[in-house]
């Protein structure tokens, strides 16, 4: 294929997509639940993975105050960073895909519900600045996925229209957010089943199954 010369962009979610971190988030939530007497289950974790903590915590503790949301969220995210720091690495196929997209002229962004401190852990260690033109994290948005706000903010930072951008996600809420924003979406089954992710335009078990040509085809189809 020929280069798209910056005509198109791809927006990656961070956790469970670019980096294999679901295990650390799961452990951090269980550690918080034990410390605070909250009811946590694997089903609840799967169902809420990809959402902001501010949307998750009221489900675990109805009537929780904003101060408590911030305290518990900060505790959970610090615990996550402590856990994941020893395994700062790309998810399977992610580095090769990012390289291929870059070679073919795609503009790349990260659109995550995580706080910036989480992304900062990977930013320098994995040299993400060499590939990504923009990043959107928790502090820049007011609505959690499945709102499209995160991805729409990323398209603006890339200087592209939503129809010129595709999304890569692993969470149901992320797939819904991409579709709500009018963007085609490829989903990877790192945290959810194929059936759960069926709303995506393409579902794969690993990012090694995708390349620049696949995203060009998705985007051209959307613009027809």
């Amino acid at each position: 294929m020929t280069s798209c010369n910056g005509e198109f962009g791809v927006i990656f979610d961070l956790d469970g997509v670019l980096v294999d971190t679901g295990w650390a988030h799961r452990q951090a939530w269980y550690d918080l639940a034990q410390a605070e007497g909250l009811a946590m289950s694997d089903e609840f974790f799967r169902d809420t993975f990809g959402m902001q903590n501010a949307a998750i915590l009221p489900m675990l503790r109805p009537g929780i105050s904003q101060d408590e949301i911030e305290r518990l969220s900060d505790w959970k995210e610090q615990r996550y960073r402590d856990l994941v720091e020893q395994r700062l690495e790309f998810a399977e196929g992610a580095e090769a895909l990012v390289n291929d997209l870059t070679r073919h002229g795609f503009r790349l962004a990260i659109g995550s519900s995580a706080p910036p401190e989480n992304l900062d852990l990977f930013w320098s260690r994995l040299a993400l600045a060499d590939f990504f033109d923009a990043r959107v994290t928790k502090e820049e948005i007011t609505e959690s996925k499945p709102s499209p706000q995160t991805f729409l903010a990323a398209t603006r930072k890339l200087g592209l229209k939503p129809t010129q951008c595709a999304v890569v996600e692993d969470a149901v809420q992320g797939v819904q957010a991409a579709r709500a924003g009018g963007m085609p979406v490829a989903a990877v089954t790192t945290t959810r089943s194929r059936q759960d992710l069926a709303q995506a335009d393409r579902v794969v078990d690993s990012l090694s199954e995708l390349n620049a040509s696949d995203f060009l085809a998705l985007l051209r189809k959307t613009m027809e």
Side-chain angles (χ1 to χ4, degrees):
M1 62 173 280
T2 58
S3 172
C4 71
N5 295 319
E7 179 186 359
F8 295 122
V10 178
I11 305 166
F12 287 80
D13 180 44
L14 179 67
D15 294 294
V17 177
L18 270 181
V19 289
D20 178 18
T21 56
W23 64 273
H25 279 291
R26 177 186 179 278
Q27 186 61 54
W29 275 114
Y30 270 97
D31 290 348
L32 176 66
Q34 183 176 21
E36 295 289 332
L38 304 174
M40 175 57 60
S41 68
D42 285 354
E43 181 181 7
F44 181 83
F45 172 73
R46 287 193 302 269
D47 288 346
T48 57
F49 192 67
M51 296 172 62
Q52 287 186 11
N53 296 341
I56 297 171
L57 285 165
M59 301 179 195
L60 292 170
R61 182 170 285 173
I64 188 173
S65 69
Q66 186 59 40
D67 286 346
E68 276 292 278
I69 288 175
E70 291 177 7
R71 182 181 72 84
L72 297 186
S73 181
D74 288 346
W75 192 100
K76 180 264 171 181
E77 294 305 329
Q78 184 58 58
R79 179 59 179 149
Y80 160 81
R81 290 191 289 272
D82 291 342
L83 289 165
V84 83
E85 194 164 13
Q86 303 305 313
R87 279 175 55 180
L88 298 176
E89 56 191 18
F90 280 105
E92 178 184 344
E95 186 173 15
L97 175 58
V98 166
N99 271 293
D100 192 45
L101 290 166
T102 301
R103 282 196 303 270
H104 288 92
F106 282 82
R107 302 185 200 179
L108 303 183
I110 293 173
S112 173
S113 299
E117 294 85 357
N118 291 12
L119 179 51
D120 289 342
L121 280 176
F122 300 94
W123 196 253
S124 57
R125 189 79 65 88
L126 301 183
L128 296 182
D130 293 346
F131 305 104
F132 288 90
D133 305 289
R135 49 184 273 179
V136 176
T137 48
K138 173 188 172 184
E139 85 287 3
E140 300 176 62
I141 57 174
T142 59
E143 298 175 1
S144 180
K145 300 172 186 175
S147 164
Q149 191 179 88
T150 297
F151 296 139
L152 292 175
T155 66
R156 290 192 293 271
K157 286 192 174 187
L158 291 175
L160 297 171
K161 299 176 182 178
T163 53
Q164 293 175 281
C165 294
V167 168
V168 189
E169 263 285 355
D170 67 314
V172 173
Q173 290 86 355
V175 171
Q176 293 170 339
R179 295 190 66 84
M183 293 166 252
V185 54
V188 58
T189 60
T190 48
T191 58
R192 300 299 293 260
S193 69
R194 283 179 168 267
Q195 182 177 356
D196 290 341
L197 299 170
Q199 291 183 53
D201 297 278
R202 175 86 182 269
V203 181
V204 297
D205 296 320
S206 166
L207 294 187
S208 60
E209 299 174 42
L210 296 170
N211 58 39
S213 295
D214 295 317
F215 286 94
L216 189 62
L218 276 178
L219 286 159
R220 286 180 171 166
K221 182 179 180 180
T222 300
M223 297 182 75
E224 287 177 354

